[in-house]
Amino acid sequence: MDVRQYDFYLPEELIAQVPLLDRASSRLMVLNKEEQVISHHHFSDIKQFLQAGDCLVLNDTRVLPARLYGSKKDTGGKVEVLLLHQDHEDEWEVLVKPAKKVKMGTEIIFGEGKLVAECIGLSAHGGRKVRFSYGGIFLEVLESLGEMPLPPYIKEQLSDQERYQTVYAKEEGSAAAPTAGLHFTKELLADLKESGVEIAYLTLHVGLGTFRPVSVENVEEHEMHAEFYRLNQETAEQLLRVKSNGGRIISVGTTSTRTLETIMRDHGTFKEASGWTDIFIYPPYQLKAIDGLMTNFHLPQSTLIMLVSALAGRDFILEAYKKAVEERYRFFSFGDAMLIL
């Protein structure tokens, strides 16, 4: 399958650079898959499309302030470090710029010595393995020194870093936000629960590979990055109960979807599980775990637009994206939302 089958025209000015003041005031495009109907709403209207007994599945990962700016101990040269994932204890896989200046044994100083990284390994594409040393608690040191690693298509500075976190973010570990959840407020979630909609949580720590473009012409040749996920026993039992009672499982975001589909693929049912997933979902893949999906508008030729096409059909998705451009929807992380049912 040619990756260009998932291309579409997107004016650059439709890429949202800043979040809206009110999270729930974003627009909501609703796709009815069976009737092939597209309708336009606001996110605060979402309750009218959900029924008592349905279950929204949210990814409760929390984004690390994973971008650090420091200097080499020996020369004072400036170095940018981006945390990717923790190998164990104080050892991390990171990206560094400029990579050629950071060799084995290089020490990088952050915050006048509050944090020090020593390069202990090399990998491709500017990757390094580093060991951190510091006083106190690592996450507290990181919160004081680090910046939020916003996606490369966002050029504006974020005045409030919490706006790149969901209101239910809890489990530290992501390099990027599960952005479909950014539209929810605590008040809206409480209102949904009061109306009988169940809320369930899982964790998938989003990697920077989520922004990596598909660089091959043939979709089947693309290799997905692996990301860590966890579904606990309580959530597994909740999802089984919802299904047995005839409710719908509606995942919030492609990260929740990939987690649920991985577990369903590997175990044939919802059950407690954790590990690393590199599942790649694209047509004609048949989704087995979910009945609907809440998501944002994704990049042309990306693995994410392929995933939503597996659920709703490529032609229907491309028609919806064409309408989104015509109607001036806001795209990507801080953009508007789509609900596929």
Side-chain angles (χ1 to χ4, degrees), residues 145 222 311:
L145 297 176
H222 177 71
L311 177 61

Side-chain angles (χ1 to χ4, degrees), residues 204-216:
L204 182 137
H205 292 319
V206 188
L208 284 177
T210 192
F211 303 122
R212 193 180 73 188
V214 177
S215 57
V216 294

